[in-house]
């Protein structure tokens, strides 16, 4: 099945590494013009150069932005529109794992997590929706994690922020569908990422990174017996962003190798 995004403009937050980078590359390969946003300038620019080199596509722009800051979100949207045109596809992917015992999570950490993972998605969705509605075509994908459906002990604040993101997905889907703007969520399980690479390096283990991932899959009882690949996640996101997913809205899809205890 050929999945194409020709003549579409995609904005991906958290786009410099891991899942964001993989999605940006896949979208560009499918014909989209892509804007990637993140806080780290060097990693962001390296990602943009790599995507241009692999795809031969010039319409890839890198935007340094802290999406937890409302004014920077406004500037991000303005810059993307001025460089590439109105956003057709928004992927709210920014975030990092924050978790601990409930009584040890400070107000500051709660607020930072909500600003980064929830308010960033709210603000960006509010900015892109008017043009999507005018064109009667749009896609919003909220990248969450499986704890949004099945939160565990000591999962705050991330599990709570992600659960709110799933509720936001359903609210937006219900309001935007009549304009042919489809809103869905992808819930991440254990997928090879920069965070896992850093964890492996800090562990001081003599075993290879591949062995580290294998042990992670075993200890977390992943039914498929392995950790996922960023490219596998990106393929699903590309499908959701395309016309091939034209009757799919308001769903939260687990991308976790079967690990989540709930559907």
């Amino acid at each position: 099945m050929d999945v194409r995004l020709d003549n579409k403009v995609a904005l991906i937050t958290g786009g410099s590494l891991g899942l964001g980078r993989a999605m940006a590359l896949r979208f560009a390969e499918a014909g989209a013009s892509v804007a990637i946003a993140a806080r780290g300038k060097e990693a962001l620019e390296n990602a943009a150069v790599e995507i241009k080199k692999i795809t031969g596509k010039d319409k890839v722009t890198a935007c340094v932005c802290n999406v937890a800051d409302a004014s920077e979100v406004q500037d991000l949207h303005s810059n993307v529109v001025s460089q590439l045109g109105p956003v057709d596809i928004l992927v709210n992917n920014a975030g990092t794992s924050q978790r601990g015992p409930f009584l040890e999570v400070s107000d500051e950490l709660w607020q930072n997590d909500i600003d980064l993972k929830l308010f960033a998605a709210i603000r960006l969705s509010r900015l892109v929706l008017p043009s999507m509605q005018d064109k009667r075509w749009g896609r919003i994908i909220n990248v969450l994690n499986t704890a949004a459906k099945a939160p565990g002990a000591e999962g705050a604040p991330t599990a709570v922020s992600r659960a709110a993101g799933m509720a936001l997905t359903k609210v937006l889907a219900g309001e935007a569908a009549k304009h042919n703007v489809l809103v869905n969520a992808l819930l991440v399980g254990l997928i090879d990422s920069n965070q896992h690479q850093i964890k492996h390096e800090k562990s001081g283990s003599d075993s290879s990174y591949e062995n580290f991932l294998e042990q992670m899959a075993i200890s977390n009882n992943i039914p498929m017996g392995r950790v996922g690949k960023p490219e596998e996640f990106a393929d699903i996101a590309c499908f959701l962003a395309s016309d091939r997913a034209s009757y799919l809205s308001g769903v939260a899809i687990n991308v976790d190798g079967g690990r989540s205890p709930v559907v």
Side-chain angles (χ1 to χ4, degrees):
M1 179 172 63
D2 190 23
V3 177
R4 300 298 305 171
L5 300 176
D6 298 297
N7 303 315
K8 303 299 183 186
V9 174
L11 168 58
I12 302 172
T13 64
S16 62
L17 298 167
L19 298 180
R21 187 172 183 158
M23 286 186 285
L25 175 58
R26 183 67 186 89
F27 285 16
E29 288 175 332
S33 299
V34 178
I36 52 176
R39 285 178 288 186
K41 182 178 180 180
E42 183 178 356
L44 196 61
E45 292 178 345
N46 288 341
V49 169
E50 180 190 32
I51 294 167
K52 289 178 182 178
K53 182 177 179 181
I54 293 174
T55 64
K57 191 174 181 64
D58 291 328
K59 289 189 176 181
V60 178
T61 186
C63 303
V64 177
C65 178
N66 175 12
V67 295
D69 186 300
S71 62
E72 290 194 34
V73 167
Q74 182 72 55
D75 291 341
L76 168 64
H77 178 254
S78 297
N79 290 337
V80 173
V81 172
S82 66
Q83 293 182 53
L84 301 177
V87 175
D88 300 295
I89 302 161
L90 169 64
V91 182
N92 291 307
N93 175 62
T96 186
S97 178
Q98 295 282 0
R99 55 176 295 152
F102 176 78
L103 292 178
E104 296 178 13
V105 182
S106 66
D107 282 3
E108 181 182 13
L109 186 56
W110 272 109
Q111 192 62 60
N112 289 341
D113 204 68
I114 290 169
D115 284 341
L116 176 62
K117 295 169 184 169
L118 181 61
F119 265 106
I122 290 171
R123 290 165 177 149
L124 279 167
S125 297
R126 192 163 51 204
L127 288 168
V128 303
L129 270 170
S131 64
M132 291 180 176
Q133 291 176 350
D134 288 344
K135 289 186 290 186
R136 295 195 58 77
W137 200 99
R139 302 286 189 269
I140 297 176
I141 300 172
N142 294 320
V143 178
L144 311 173
N145 66 23
T146 54
K149 292 182 181 178
E154 300 189 1
T158 288
V160 177
S161 299
R162 292 313 196 189
M166 193 162 65
L168 174 67
T169 299
K170 198 65 176 178
V171 168
L172 290 178
E175 293 188 23
K178 62 186 177 184
H179 302 287
N180 194 38
V181 178
L182 311 183
V183 186
N184 295 290
L186 291 178
L187 276 58
V188 181
L190 287 175
I191 294 181
D192 185 5
S193 70
N194 184 60
Q195 291 183 20
H196 295 318
Q197 292 172 9
I198 293 173
K199 186 176 180 180
H200 174 251
E201 291 170 3
K202 289 184 176 180
S203 71
S205 172
D206 293 331
S207 65
S208 67
Y209 180 59
E210 290 71 20
N211 183 255
F212 174 80
L213 293 180
E214 289 175 5
Q215 292 304 311
M216 184 184 297
I218 293 170
S219 62
N220 284 277
N221 298 314
I222 300 176
M224 288 187 68
R226 64 178 178 84
V227 171
K229 301 175 183 177
E231 296 78 13
E232 293 175 306
F233 188 92
D235 283 340
I236 300 171
C238 190
F239 168 74
L240 281 182
S242 76
D243 281 324
R244 296 292 186 177
S246 58
Y247 200 59
L248 195 62
S249 192
V251 301
I253 301 172
N254 299 336
V255 189
D256 67 345
R259 181 180 177 224
S260 175
V262 296
V263 296

